Amino acid sequence: MIALELTYRPFAPGWLIAVGAVVLVALCLFFVVRRPLERTAWLLRILMVAALVGILVRPGYGTVPAKAKTSDLEILVVVDRTTSMSALDWNGSEPRLNGVQADLKELTEEFPGARFSLVTFGAFVRTELPYSSDSQAFLAAAEVMTVEGAFDGEGSLVDMPLEVMTESLDGAKKRHPERKRLVVFATDGENTRDGAEQRSFDDIDDLVDGGIVLGYGTESGGKMPVDPEADIDSYIYDDATQQDALSKLDEPNLTKIAGEMGATYQHREAVGGLDKWADDVDQSFSNEDDEFATKNEVYWMFALGLFVLALIELALAWRGFHAARRELKQL
């Protein structure tokens, strides 16, 4: 006979579960003593507390085979979300940001097990997701990205995220010097802020083992909707030309940035094509073919028990309600 080892993977700290359980049971016992007519209901609630504890401690037993990949890559993804990224010239007439989101999905497929971090920039810089191997969390963060409003910023500046990029990569290097670091920079390369001069990205080169600059847009330019979420065809207007404003790809600037960071440049016009660059990236995996012990969780049994007890509680309450109504009618 094979003995099964019980395991526990609680949803909350053990001390918190214990304190909560003691308080709730003590409260129920108090009412068991003080309200004899409701003793059955309060004893039932003690059982409900026990079932809830069973759920929270998350018990399990045995093992099932599972495979996992852990990559040695940490990838910092930086995305331009200025108004120009709403220009309708990717894959024909789609917003540039759609192209970014499609490319980020492809990246997670090309680098399974890698740790991704997502930073966006516009009028301000924001870390949307710190380094995480949870690709679904990364894709969820990418999916909800939106461009800033047409009148939110004071013009775009491609080097806006430079300090955050440097801090992020430097921190990753100090925490895990043995891992390789890549940078993915997604933008159209446009600088439209008056009087501002773009700083060099040379410092990034010392912190990464490679990367890629993804360029979006066309040389002829694309119109930018006033409200990308609206169905109305209304575009940002250029008072100087007295026509709809056009955002144009600045490919020379993107090539320059890629050179400064020691990265590759690629113009992005449609879905797919990142596999060629990804194939050249040197990455290794640990535990690629190992079997990991994955517990057979049984907390669902306690959840089912709690559901049944809740139904009984509801039935008792309903019966008490009808009894009270009958007594009122007899008055």
Side-chain angles (χ1 to χ4, degrees):
M1 182 176 178
I2 299 175
L4 295 178
E5 179 185 358
L6 289 177
T7 60
Y8 302 94
R9 300 167 63 192
F11 287 108
W15 66 267
L16 184 60
I17 296 174
V19 170
V22 169
V23 171
L24 290 175
V25 170
L27 184 65
C28 291
L29 289 174
F30 173 80
F31 285 110
V32 165
V33 175
R34 296 297 298 269
R35 298 181 179 179
L37 296 178
E38 300 177 7
R39 182 170 297 168
T40 300
W42 286 105
L43 289 174
L44 183 67
R45 287 162 191 158
I46 291 176
L47 293 177
M48 293 174 72
V49 171
L52 181 60
V53 170
I55 295 171
L56 293 176
V57 298
R58 199 177 174 184
Y61 70 92
T63 60
V64 294
K67 291 187 177 180
K69 282 186 176 183
T70 303
S71 171
D72 65 343
L73 292 180
E74 292 193 322
I75 304 176
L76 175 63
V77 179
V78 184
V79 176
D80 181 352
R81 52 179 296 272
T82 57
T83 306
S84 63
M85 291 299 286
S86 68
L88 306 174
D89 57 356
W90 176 80
N91 197 29
S93 58
E94 294 183 45
R96 294 172 184 172
L97 193 62
N98 285 14
V100 175
Q101 291 166 329
D103 287 343
L104 298 192
K105 184 176 186 299
E106 185 178 357
L107 281 176
T108 62
E109 295 169 354
E110 293 295 334
F111 299 113
R115 290 165 54 84
F116 287 91
S117 177
L118 179 62
V119 171
T120 62
F121 70 95
F124 55 89
V125 183
R126 182 168 61 200
T127 299
E128 307 288 352
L129 183 75
Y131 289 99
S132 171
S133 57
D134 187 344
S135 60
Q136 293 305 311
F138 173 74
L139 290 176
E143 185 67 26
V144 298
M145 285 189 306
T146 58
V147 295
E148 63 184 8
F151 308 104
D152 288 348
E154 300 176 353
S156 59
L157 193 57
V158 179
D159 67 1
M160 272 285 290
L162 192 53
E163 288 87 356
V164 173
M165 292 171 66
T166 303
E167 291 174 7
S168 176
L169 291 167
D170 186 53
K173 183 177 182 179
K174 289 177 179 177
R175 286 190 300 271
H176 301 287
E178 75 284 359
R179 293 178 180 168
K180 300 182 182 71
R181 288 164 301 283
L182 301 179
V183 61
V184 177
F185 197 70
T187 178
D188 52 30
E190 265 195 325
N191 287 317
T192 60
R193 187 172 300 181
D194 293 335
E197 185 174 341
Q198 180 177 299
R199 294 167 294 171
S200 172
F201 285 76
D202 282 337
D203 290 343
I204 301 297
D205 189 14
D206 297 329
L207 299 172
V208 297
D209 298 280
I212 189 168
V213 174
L214 304 176
Y216 300 85
T218 56
E219 291 183 1
S220 58
K223 296 180 181 180
M224 296 165 284
V226 173
D227 183 359
E229 304 298 325
D231 295 330
I232 303 173
D233 292 336
S234 178
Y235 303 101
I236 297 174
Y237 190 73
D238 186 349
D239 292 327
T241 62
Q242 296 187 346
Q243 294 179 338
D244 291 330
L246 295 177
S247 170
K248 299 181 180 181
L249 169 73
D250 190 343
E251 204 153 37
N253 190 33
L254 294 176
T255 304
K256 175 186 175 185
I257 293 171
E260 291 171 347
M261 293 196 299
T264 302
Y265 168 69
Q266 188 174 131
H267 184 203
R268 303 298 299 155
E269 300 177 275
V271 177
L274 290 176
D275 55 328
K276 295 179 182 178
W277 169 73
D279 289 343
D280 292 333
V281 173
D282 181 23
Q283 63 175 321
S284 59
F285 297 96
S286 61
N287 304 321
E288 184 171 1
D289 298 313
D290 292 344
E291 289 191 345
F292 289 83
T294 302
K295 307 304 177 184
N296 294 301
E297 296 178 337
V298 296
Y299 69 88
W300 61 269
M301 296 182 182
F302 292 95
L304 181 60
L306 181 61
F307 176 71
V308 172
L309 291 171
L311 289 179
I312 296 173
E313 168 85 3
L314 184 61
L316 291 174
W318 188 256
R319 189 173 67 178
F321 173 73
H322 278 284
R325 285 190 63 184
R326 284 195 299 269
E327 290 181 6
L328 287 173
K329 288 181 179 179
Q330 292 174 1
L331 294 177

